[in-house]
Amino acid sequence: MKVAIVGAGLSGLCCAYELEKNGIKPVIFEKKYAIGDVLEYTICTLNNFNEFRGSVMRYFKKNYDIKITPINPLNKVVMKSNNKKTVIKGNMGHVFIRGTDKESLDKQIAGYFKPNIIFDTYVNILDIKDDFDYVVCASGELSTAKKLSICKPTLNTYTRISNVLGDFDPNTLIMWFDNECIKNGYGYLLPYNRKRASLVLALNEITHEEIEYYWDIFQQKQNFKYNITINKDVEHDMGFIDPVKIDNILLVGNAAGFIDSFMGFGTISAIESGVLAARSIIYNLDYNELMKPIKEYIKLKHEYRIMVNRMDNKDFDRILTFLNMPFIKQMLYKNPFYRASYGAYIIKVFNKIMEDKDKNIVP
Ligand SMILES: Cc1cc2nc3c(=O)[nH]c(=O)nc-3n(C[C@H](O)[C@H](O)[C@H](O)COP(=O)(O)OP(=O)(O)OC[C@H]3O[C@@H](n4cnc5c(N)ncnc54)[C@H](O)[C@@H]3O)c2cc1C
């Protein structure tokens, strides 16, 4: 069977790994000269945010026979708004690296086999689709879905990634919610170790010029004294894709819209959809059906984003006060039966009421 994968990112590599374990050797086309993002940065998974609520390492090992190793456990999450702060402690999640370092997630997965990657090769999927039995779109962006007219855009995000030097707790994630300097988004600091961290600002629906403006106020307001080493801005479109398999093309990871617009989490879905796309090719399974739980999860998380984008700084203060209440902490973070998507069903009703209210306002 002839299979091509476009993109040697997380989803593409996981798809190739699963195919190879089952005797199919795909060809991977990668536009860059190497595996991994040129800029290094930290990412995390949060146990309370996963639908399976628990260690992502155990989940991947058990379900997909994929071993991933974090650089640090996360045992504290600090959330800050204009006037409030809440601290949640416990087994919160794990920190991983993206980039070209040998510890990066991409390099870890590529290290388990000998992928057949053709580097420095930009491919238009529609040009090659007739030369293969299957083409897996793992490009990390929505252009193919848009060309196929299967994309309903939801949000445009600008993310500024910087690496900073200072004095950090490597097991703590700090997050900021403040519309004055972080319009419709969030900022976070996620350390590699005691001396180095990624400082990131993710903003929705702004222009490229505006990111400079918000970045400056963010730094001034938080009074950062860090030595900033590298900067990179990434523009990202998000949207709902349906169907995620069309003819012989299967879309995986971000290319299938599997990144949550609330917090920008996409690592787990990228790995999961990559492996499941491979299994659907191997066992002739219905890929659209297999992806239904991920699609539903992404849609529910978007309800959180719609709600948060309506909030002002007073609302953020109120939310953090609420999240700081011992009973609420117990219910949301210590209760093994609670799922983040449960709250989304209530928020969905709230968003609908607000939407109808907006429509009825006479200008
Ligand atoms: C700053 C930042 C922080 C993040 N933090 C988190 C986090 O904390 N937790 C989390 O879960 N997720 C996080 N994410 C999201 C997560 O990294 C992505 O969801 C995940 O990497 C998606 O994997 P992918 O395989 O779909 O795409 P990618 O990993 O982006 O890979 C796509 C690959 O395709 C290649 N490519 C693209 N087009 C072509 C083409 N036409 N031809 C050939 N090659 C092509 C690209 O060069 C790239 O190598 C973060 C993302 C960013 C940018």
Side-chain angles (χ1 to χ4, degrees):
M1 194 189 295
K2 278 180 77 184
V3 181
I5 298 174
V6 177
L10 277 184
S11 59
L13 287 169
C14 288
C15 183
Y17 184 38
E18 184 70 13
L19 286 170
E20 293 213 8
K21 280 196 278 187
N22 288 277
I24 299 169
K25 182 105 190 151
V27 55
I28 309 179
F29 297 105
E30 171 54 55
K31 68 179 178 184
K32 294 193 307 260
Y33 65 91
I35 290 172
D37 211 315
V38 184
L39 174 70
E40 194 173 61
Y41 53 90
T42 48
I43 64 159
C44 68
T45 55
L46 293 178
N47 295 349
N48 290 309
F49 244 70
N50 308 329
E51 278 306 90
F52 51 86
R53 262 196 96 104
S55 155
V56 66
M57 284 88 74
R58 206 175 312 127
Y59 180 76
F60 282 143
K61 188 73 197 123
K62 182 168 168 252
N63 293 287
Y64 304 122
D65 193 26
I66 287 183
K67 184 173 176 265
I68 53 171
T69 310
I71 54 161
N72 298 314
L74 260 185
N75 52 31
K76 194 156 106 185
V77 175
V78 180
M79 290 188 268
K80 294 182 176 182
S81 61
N82 203 21
N83 296 303
K84 299 284 173 193
K85 171 175 148 178
T86 182
V87 179
I88 307 148
K89 290 182 186 164
N91 184 9
M92 300 305 295
H94 294 91
V95 185
F96 299 88
I97 310 184
R98 298 297 307 272
T100 49
D101 188 277
K102 67 177 182 346
E103 280 187 291
S104 78
L105 263 185
D106 319 58
K107 283 281 174 78
Q108 286 186 37
I109 289 160
Y112 295 137
F113 65 126
K114 285 200 166 48
N116 173 19
I117 307 178
I118 303 179
F119 287 108
D120 287 320
T121 308
Y122 179 91
V123 164
N124 180 346
I125 287 177
L126 302 184
D127 292 344
I128 61 160
K129 79 181 266 290
D130 295 336
D131 302 332
F132 293 88
D133 296 307
Y134 292 98
V135 180
V136 177
C137 175
S139 61
E141 39 87 31
L142 299 184
S143 63
T144 300
K146 284 180 183 166
K147 280 182 207 154
L148 291 167
S149 306
I150 51 172
C151 173
K152 184 180 164 210
T154 51
L155 215 63
N156 174 275
T157 308
Y158 264 103
T159 307
R160 170 153 293 188
I161 313 166
S162 76
N163 282 321
V164 296
L165 301 179
D167 188 11
F168 311 107
D169 172 357
N171 308 113
T172 296
L173 162 70
I174 305 176
M175 303 189 71
W176 289 269
F177 301 91
D178 182 338
N179 267 343
E180 216 174 274
C181 52
I182 313 166
K183 189 187 155 213
N184 294 342
Y186 50 89
Y188 66 83
L189 183 94
L190 186 61
Y192 295 83
N193 50 42
R194 297 211 159 274
K195 294 193 159 57
R196 189 167 168 245
S198 290
L199 180 66
V200 175
L201 202 58
L203 310 162
N204 301 164
E205 310 299 348
I206 59 156
T207 61
H208 185 66
E209 288 71 36
E210 279 177 295
I211 197 160
E212 207 63 58
Y213 166 79
Y214 286 111
W215 179 252
D216 284 346
I217 330 180
F218 178 51
Q219 290 193 75
Q220 280 163 27
K221 200 166 171 188
Q222 303 308 327
N223 199 17
F224 293 135
K225 299 274 189 291
Y226 304 130
N227 180 2
I228 298 180
T229 51
I230 307 169
N231 270 340
K232 183 185 174 184
D233 297 338
V234 181
E235 189 187 359
H236 202 94
D237 281 334
M238 296 190 191
F240 300 144
I241 316 296
D242 202 21
V244 285
K245 177 174 186 275
I246 192 161
D247 299 331
N248 64 340
I249 302 172
L250 292 85
L251 297 104
V252 296
N254 282 9
F258 295 155
I259 178 159
D260 100 57
S261 62
F262 180 41
M263 300 297 283
F265 288 134
T267 303
I268 295 176
S269 309
I271 294 178
E272 200 154 33
S273 59
V275 177
L276 291 176
R279 287 188 185 171
S280 86
I281 292 172
I282 299 158
Y283 303 112
N284 199 18
L285 304 173
D286 182 343
Y287 180 62
N288 281 311
E289 204 55 36
L290 286 178
M291 290 300 102
K292 267 191 176 162
I294 299 185
K295 279 194 223 168
E296 180 64 13
Y297 164 87
I298 296 295
K299 282 193 174 155
L300 287 173
K301 285 293 166 60
H302 189 58
E303 297 293 340
Y304 278 91
R305 174 50 54 206
I306 295 173
M307 182 187 75
V308 170
N309 281 4
R310 286 178 183 277
M311 289 182 166
D312 59 21
N313 275 359
K314 280 190 183 148
D315 295 324
F316 288 135
D317 285 347
R318 281 188 210 111
I319 285 270
L320 289 201
T321 308
F322 175 74
L323 292 176
N324 213 17
M325 290 157 80
F327 164 73
I328 297 298
K329 276 187 174 168
Q330 192 69 24
M331 193 183 82
L332 298 185
Y333 305 112
K334 307 275 186 237
N335 171 4
F337 300 107
Y338 182 77
R339 301 280 179 276
S341 56
Y342 296 170
Y345 288 106
I346 301 165
I347 291 167
K348 195 173 172 176
V349 176
F350 170 80
N351 287 339
K352 181 81 184 80
I353 294 168
M354 295 308 284
E355 194 189 316
D356 291 346
K357 214 170 144 194
D358 288 349
K359 276 185 202 153
N360 289 333
I361 292 173
V362 182

